[in-house]
Amino acid sequence: MTLQEVSVALKQGQITPTELYQKCLSLIKKTKFLNAYIAVSEEVTLKQAEESEKRYKNGQSLGDLDGIPIAVKDNFSTSGIETTCESNMLKGYVPPYNATVVQKLLDQGALLMGKSNLDEFAMGSGSTDGVLGPVKNPWSYSKQYREKRKQNPHSESGDSDWLITGGSSGGSAAAMSAFTCYAALGSDTGGSTRNPAAHCGLVGFKPSYGLVSRHGLIPLVNWMDVPGILTRYVDDAAMVLGVLAGHDPKDSTTAHDPINKPLVLSSLADVSKLCIGIPKEYLVPELSKGGTGGGELGRDSMGRNARYR
């Protein structure tokens, strides 16, 4: 189900926030071997779910994200919950405040399932370089991947035969791909949300710098980092962005222009004739038609050689 569909199901009473929380918690425990989460806040989240359930019963829902389970990368400050950036340097550090993006989600009634794994201080591209070990891609354990590996006589077998999630927001991507939550926060400097999303079959979105507050995000590169959004569907990413976007007085780099309307994607967009340009130096056989390097050679916006489909 999409985030939007679950939101409707909650509003219609088809499922309660507590039931949804329990389903996600059960999946977190079943997929613990993925190492997607650094910490799972069971008691805190259960209380959040119970409060959300009361609001629904009283017709006082806080918004479309009320009762929706989320995961937050462990380089966002979370009040009362340890924030380590997957490093022993911050072990035991419990922030006294929430990052603005975390607070905005909680203000909408979202359920914080836990803090997700990453490369230490978000410095990496595989989510393999942290003190608690690497994050494993859920697709490593799919039937399709296992059958493909069996066809390769030189492939490894056993627990060592797994795929990376990409990084540095690999924990959030694995949490999403394993269906333990319906939205997740990552951080993106040069691809740290989009890269794991691509590896795990998800939607990864890096908002324009200044659109979303960075207050409470422990940065890798202060003038490039942006909170990122991971979902399973594009419409869901737009819904989360609509909650997070906007000026924050605690972050002087956020845009002052108000976001007055909910972000809704048009369902009339026709992408059947969409052309995508790829710089020639990045062209690999898998990106071209039939894997043969097909497509017309032209120039991209920077004047570089590119093939177009």
Side-chain angles (χ1 to χ4, degrees):
M1 295 178 71
T2 69
L3 188 160
Q4 295 189 24
E5 289 171 341
V6 173
S7 179
V8 171
L10 286 166
K11 292 174 182 176
Q12 294 178 347
Q14 298 173 10
I15 189 171
T16 68
T18 303
E19 290 171 340
L20 191 58
Y21 155 75
Q22 291 172 341
K23 288 179 181 293
C24 289
L25 180 62
S26 176
L27 285 172
I28 289 175
K29 292 180 177 179
K30 287 180 180 178
T31 59
K32 192 174 181 180
F33 59 90
L34 297 175
N35 205 23
Y37 287 87
I38 290 177
V40 179
S41 47
E42 291 188 40
E43 293 183 5
V44 172
T45 313
L46 177 58
K47 184 177 180 181
Q48 293 172 347
E50 291 171 343
E51 291 173 349
S52 176
E53 195 162 328
K54 290 178 182 177
R55 289 193 294 270
Y56 275 110
K57 287 181 179 179
N58 295 328
Q60 299 175 336
S61 170
L62 295 176
D64 291 335
L65 298 185
D66 204 342
I68 298 293
I70 62 167
V72 172
K73 187 176 179 179
D74 197 37
N75 60 343
F76 288 92
S77 297
T78 45
S79 177
I81 301 175
E82 188 178 32
T83 299
T84 69
C85 288
E86 180 63 302
S87 173
N88 282 330
M89 290 179 66
L90 290 182
K91 188 175 182 179
Y93 169 61
V94 180
Y97 68 98
N98 285 318
T100 295
V101 287
V102 174
Q103 189 61 54
K104 284 190 172 186
L105 292 173
L106 295 178
D107 287 344
Q108 282 268 315
L111 312 181
L112 176 56
M113 297 303 299
K115 306 298 291 292
S116 57
N117 208 342
L118 65 152
D119 289 300
E120 188 169 5
F121 283 104
M123 190 176 293
S125 57
S127 293
T128 56
D129 301 317
V131 296
L132 298 179
V135 183
K136 299 178 181 179
N137 193 322
W139 285 96
S140 307
Y141 304 93
S142 67
K143 181 179 179 181
Q144 298 95 320
Y145 178 72
R146 289 302 179 187
E147 289 179 348
K148 182 178 180 180
R149 298 297 289 176
K150 287 179 181 178
Q151 296 171 7
N152 183 359
H154 302 293
S155 66
E156 297 179 3
S157 60
D159 190 55
S160 61
D161 182 18
W162 51 268
L163 303 169
I164 65 168
T165 55
S168 61
S169 304
S172 289
M176 280 295 305
S177 190
F179 296 92
T180 65
C181 59
Y182 286 86
L185 289 182
S187 61
D188 199 310
T189 307
S192 290
T193 293
R194 294 161 290 169
N195 177 30
H199 276 66
C200 295
L202 303 168
V203 173
F205 180 65
K206 178 183 182 179
S208 298
Y209 189 92
L211 183 60
V212 176
S213 173
R214 298 176 300 109
H215 174 70
L217 167 61
I218 299 172
L220 173 63
V221 181
N222 201 37
W223 58 91
M224 293 177 67
D225 283 10
V226 173
I229 299 169
L230 288 145
T231 58
R232 283 186 281 275
Y233 299 90
V234 175
D235 286 340
D236 294 347
M239 177 189 287
V240 176
L241 179 62
V243 172
L244 301 183
H247 177 66
D248 178 14
K250 297 177 181 176
D251 180 359
S252 60
T253 66
T254 50
H256 285 264
D257 295 335
I259 308 296
N260 295 324
K261 296 181 179 179
L263 296 170
V264 179
L265 300 180
S266 171
S267 60
L268 302 177
D270 180 11
V271 297
S272 62
K273 297 181 181 180
L274 180 68
C275 292
I276 300 175
I278 303 172
K280 186 176 180 181
E281 59 267 33
Y282 299 136
L283 189 66
V284 295
E286 290 79 5
L287 294 178
S288 59
K289 186 175 182 180
T292 60
E296 304 236 351
L297 184 62
R299 295 276 182 177
D300 64 11
S301 61
M302 301 295 291
R304 299 171 297 191
N305 288 333
R307 289 190 184 274
Y308 293 84
R309 288 281 305 279

